[in-house]
């Protein structure tokens, strides 16, 4: 069975790059009817794992990526890690090291002076004597002393490390007994039966160490996929300046989770030149073996474009659901389908959609100064008032076409053009000179409110 996992360190929010590897792991597990697990890597107890877990859960809920089973917290598993440390000590595969910090510094200084890689020199590897007093020992694992560590990475191909270049007998438990990162990752992946590890390639150099742990404990080594980083457009590490880092900030920016996932799958993977992928298509087409070998560049405009495509094409009911999350409930608004269809072509994000919807469904309580100055000069208000009288004379008007007919015959009778009326109507109805097709808006606002809003503008103290 394919079992994948996402294993964030609790930084307090879910990072955009993390969401991408989570998506890849999710898709691959679900596509293969496998399991997608979530593990919080909180061995560093100084950080608040509960808060971080909540932030990550929130982002998972928002993006609708569901993990199987309970969240695994490394901080709850210290006894388990201790058991494996003891096992390795008992089997002679790990040992206590009594090197003091001063001795370590001196060792590293000497290595630096000789232009060598700084690494532990194995001085306690086969130590049989009496341990020095006053030193609480760390536990080190016996790494191979020479040869190569090699694995077949699903993205990078065969990756080979020369042991002499990368390894030493690294610490697996601190002097206070707490276990270290590479040790617990390998144990957890093995015990959680993770078959495929999909993660950022910033972890590539950890992999040989983790393989040492797998081998020492007799566990099967999983298949690795090291995903190239997301870089900014100038090829540097992505930073806050380039775009949001916290997944939930995208929600604040009015990005749909569907669009964000679509954007992320394309950052590092492609299928011909297709840009838009539904979740069904992602599940059908995604294969981590086709992830790009080179880093991808973050492109904010592309995200905005994808978001606009989704806003244009999503089912109205879904957009109504989304707007609820932005505190706008259109479920009981009679003309909601027409309203959303009228606006969705014109907006790039949900914040814009919300504010356009509000400008139509809520009567304006102020009028845009610039629009007033530009379009309500001369006899504009009189013309508008006369048009309102024509509307009142006509009585109940429903369709956009009917509003247009009233306007046309009114304009003909006065020898005026639509430009004399359209902007003043907009100002009366939405408070500014910006709105979609004016007659469509009138039809949505409805006869009674149209007449009232025009009266309100005329009797305002402008
Ligand atoms: N906890 C690591 C991180 O957040 C990921 C470890 C892994 O995927 O193996 O970068």
């Amino acid at each position: 069975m394919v079992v994948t996992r996402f294993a964030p360190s609790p930084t307090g929010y879910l990072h955009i790059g993390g969401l991408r590897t989570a998506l890849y792991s999710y898709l691959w597990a679900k596509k293969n009817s496998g399991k997608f697990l979530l593990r919080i890597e909180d061995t560093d107890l100084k950080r608040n794992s509960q808060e971080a877990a909540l932030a990550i859960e929130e982002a998972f809920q928002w993006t609708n990526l569901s993990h199987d089973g309970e969240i695994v917290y490394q901080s709850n598993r210290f006894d388990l890690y201790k058991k494996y440390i003891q096992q390795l000590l008992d089997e002679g595969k790990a040992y206590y090291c009594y090197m003091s910090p001063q001795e370590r510094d001196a060792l590293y200084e000497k290595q630096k002076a000789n232009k060598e890689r700084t690494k532990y020199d194995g001085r306690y590897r086969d130590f049989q004597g009496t341990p020095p007093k006053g030193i609480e020992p760390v536990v080190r694992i016996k790494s191979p002393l020479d040869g190569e560590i090699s694995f077949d990475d699903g993205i990078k191909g065969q990756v080979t490390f020369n042991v002499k270049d990368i390894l030493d007998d690294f610490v697996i438990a601190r002097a206070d007994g707490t276990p270290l990162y590479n040790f617990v990752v390998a144990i957890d992946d093995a015990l959680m039966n993770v078959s495929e590890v999909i993660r950022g390639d910033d972890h590539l150099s950890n992999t040989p160490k983790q393989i040492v742990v797998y081998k020492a404990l007799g566990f099967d080594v999983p298949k690795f996929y090291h995903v190239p980083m997301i870089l900014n457009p100038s090829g540097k590490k992505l930073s806050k300046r380039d775009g949001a880092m916290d997944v939930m900030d995208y929600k604040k920016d009015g990005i749909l989770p569907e669009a964000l996932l679509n954007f992320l799958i394309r950052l590092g993977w492609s299928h011909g030149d297709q840009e838009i992928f539904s979740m069904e298509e992602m599940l059908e087409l995604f294969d981590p073996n086709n992830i790009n070998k080179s880093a991808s560049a973050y492109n904010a405009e592309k995200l905005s474009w994808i978001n606009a495509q989704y806003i244009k094409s999503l089912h109205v009911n879904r957009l109504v659901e989304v707007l609820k999350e932005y505190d706008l409930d259109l479920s009981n608004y009679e003309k909601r389908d027409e309203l959303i269809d009228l606006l969705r072509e014109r907006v790039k994000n949900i914040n814009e959609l919300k504010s356009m919807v509000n400008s139509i469904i809520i009567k304006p309580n102020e009028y845009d100064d610039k629009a007033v100055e530009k379009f309500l000069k001369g006899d504009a208000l009189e013309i508008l008032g006369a048009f309102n009288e024509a509307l009142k004379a006509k009585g109940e008007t429903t369709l956009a076409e009917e509003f247009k007919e009233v306007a046309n015959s009114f304009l003909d009778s006065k020898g005026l053009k639509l430009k004399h009326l359209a902007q003043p109507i907009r100002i009366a109805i939405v408070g500014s000179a910006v709105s979609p097709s004016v007659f469509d808006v009138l039809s949505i606002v409805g006869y009674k409110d149209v007449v009232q809003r025009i009266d309100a503008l005329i009797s305002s103290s402008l």
Side-chain angles (χ1 to χ4, degrees):
M1 171 150 75
V2 171
V3 180
T4 63
R5 52 52 162 190
F6 178 53
S9 302
T11 51
Y13 62 80
L14 180 57
H15 181 272
I16 177 84
L19 181 62
R20 184 180 63 153
T21 44
L23 171 66
Y24 290 171
S25 304
Y26 170 89
L27 291 173
W28 192 231
K30 297 292 157 186
K31 173 175 183 154
N32 290 289
S33 311
K35 285 203 160 70
F36 169 62
L37 309 176
L38 180 58
R39 178 173 77 231
I40 306 285
E41 305 216 308
D42 58 349
T43 47
D44 184 350
L45 293 174
K46 273 170 258 152
R47 297 180 178 182
N48 182 346
S49 62
Q50 197 54 40
E51 191 186 304
L54 287 176
I56 290 163
E57 280 278 274
E58 187 191 13
F60 266 63
Q61 267 163 19
W62 178 60
T63 52
N64 209 13
L65 294 185
S66 50
H67 56 88
D68 293 293
E70 298 281 307
I71 304 180
V72 172
Y73 291 91
Q74 287 187 327
S75 57
N76 289 339
R77 292 160 71 87
F78 278 39
D79 288 347
L80 188 87
Y81 306 136
K82 280 200 178 124
K83 191 185 107 196
Y84 285 104
I85 290 166
Q86 194 55 50
Q87 179 184 324
L88 291 181
L89 285 167
D90 293 345
E91 291 174 349
K93 293 176 178 166
Y95 58 92
Y96 290 112
C97 169
Y98 297 88
M99 182 170 69
S100 68
Q102 293 77 4
E103 287 171 322
R104 183 199 54 212
D105 292 348
L107 172 66
Y108 287 178
E109 281 306 315
K110 199 170 129 212
Q111 289 168 335
K112 273 188 210 149
N114 292 339
K115 303 217 159 26
E116 291 168 9
R117 177 168 74 90
T118 54
K119 60 173 189 178
Y120 177 66
D121 60 359
R123 64 182 68 182
Y124 282 96
R125 184 169 167 122
D126 298 309
F127 181 70
Q128 300 289 341
T130 316
K133 289 233 157 44
I135 301 274
E136 286 295 332
V138 297
V139 179
R140 291 182 181 271
I141 193 166
K142 285 185 179 168
S143 290
L145 297 173
D146 48 34
E148 289 175 340
I149 291 191
S150 189
F151 59 94
D152 183 19
D153 189 279
I155 300 169
K156 304 208 175 271
Q158 197 67 26
V159 179
T160 302
F161 290 96
N162 191 330
V163 160
K164 284 203 157 40
D165 296 337
I166 187 130
L167 283 179
D168 60 3
D169 287 353
F170 56 94
V171 176
I172 57 172
R174 297 183 185 91
D176 64 5
T178 53
L180 271 102
Y181 176 70
N182 283 308
F183 183 64
V184 298
V185 168
I187 291 179
D188 285 336
D189 282 337
L191 297 184
M192 292 162 76
N193 293 316
V194 172
S195 61
E196 272 134 287
V197 170
I198 303 176
R199 63 181 170 199
D201 68 1
D202 48 337
H203 286 282
L204 194 61
S205 60
N206 287 327
T207 307
K209 291 184 179 176
Q210 292 169 15
I211 290 177
V212 168
V213 177
Y214 282 106
K215 295 260 165 77
L217 291 169
F219 292 141
D220 289 339
V221 179
K223 170 97 184 169
F224 291 103
Y225 295 85
H226 285 95
V227 184
M229 296 283 97
I230 305 174
L231 301 177
N232 72 11
S234 33
K236 302 244 165 56
K237 200 168 171 248
L238 197 63
S239 78
K240 275 205 166 127
R241 254 172 292 147
D242 307 306
M245 304 296 278
D246 178 353
V247 165
M248 295 314 289
D249 282 343
Y250 288 89
K251 182 177 183 190
K252 287 188 199 124
D253 289 346
I255 301 293
L256 290 160
E258 293 90 332
L260 184 60
L261 294 183
N262 192 144
F263 172 68
L264 288 178
I265 195 175
R266 283 285 294 105
L267 268 184
W269 174 88
S270 57
H271 180 72
D273 51 13
Q274 186 171 340
E275 290 292 359
I276 302 295
F277 295 88
S278 65
M279 184 43 84
E280 290 70 35
E281 282 176 306
M282 290 189 199
L283 285 166
E284 191 193 318
L285 299 169
F286 178 73
D287 184 333
N289 293 290
N290 299 336
I291 290 173
N292 298 345
K293 287 188 176 21
S294 50
S296 42
Y298 185 91
N299 180 341
E301 275 168 31
K302 175 84 163 285
L303 173 59
S304 177
W305 178 81
I306 293 177
N307 202 43
Q309 302 309 306
Y310 273 84
I311 294 176
K312 282 193 206 353
S313 63
L314 275 184
H315 196 282
V316 172
N317 291 351
R318 169 69 184 136
L319 287 174
V320 169
E321 280 308 306
V322 171
L323 284 167
K324 262 192 214 160
E325 293 174 39
Y326 291 73
D327 299 321
L328 177 59
D329 190 353
L330 285 182
S331 6
N332 298 321
Y333 189 76
E334 201 192 328
K335 302 260 181 70
R336 56 175 222 177
D337 289 21
E338 293 93 322
L339 179 59
I340 285 179
D341 284 341
L342 183 64
L343 300 179
R344 59 160 89 219
E345 293 287 332
R346 308 169 62 94
V347 296
K348 287 206 171 55
N349 64 58
I350 300 297
N351 295 325
E352 283 177 17
L353 180 62
K354 176 182 170 180
S355 89
M356 281 208 172
V357 166
N358 277 335
S359 76
I360 291 178
I361 66 174
I362 302 171
K363 81 173 172 43
N365 55 10
E366 56 185 12
Y367 303 102
D368 180 70
D369 288 342
K370 286 215 177 87
V372 167
E373 203 180 305
K374 190 158 173 207
F375 299 110
L376 293 188
K377 48 189 185 208
D379 52 2
L381 274 181
E382 263 163 57
I383 295 171
L384 186 62
F387 170 66
N388 214 19
E389 292 314 312
L391 268 181
K392 288 177 192 167
K394 153 95 179 29
E396 184 68 33
T397 307
T398 316
L399 301 174
E401 256 327 289
E402 293 176 312
F403 278 105
K404 195 173 175 181
E405 275 165 26
V406 180
N408 282 340
S409 57
F410 167 78
L411 292 170
D412 283 350
S413 71
K414 303 267 176 203
L416 295 168
K417 294 258 170 318
L418 184 59
K419 66 174 186 203
H420 297 114
L421 196 54
Q423 299 303 54
I425 293 181
R426 283 197 170 92
I427 296 171
I429 304 298
V430 302
S432 77
V434 190
S435 86
S437 156
V438 70
F439 300 115
D440 287 328
V441 174
L442 296 187
S443 146
I444 288 170
V445 169
Y447 175 76
K448 209 169 110 249
D449 282 354
V450 167
V451 169
Q452 268 175 9
R453 288 188 198 185
I454 297 176
D455 275 341
L457 173 62
I458 289 167
S459 56
S460 70
S461 53
L462 283 174

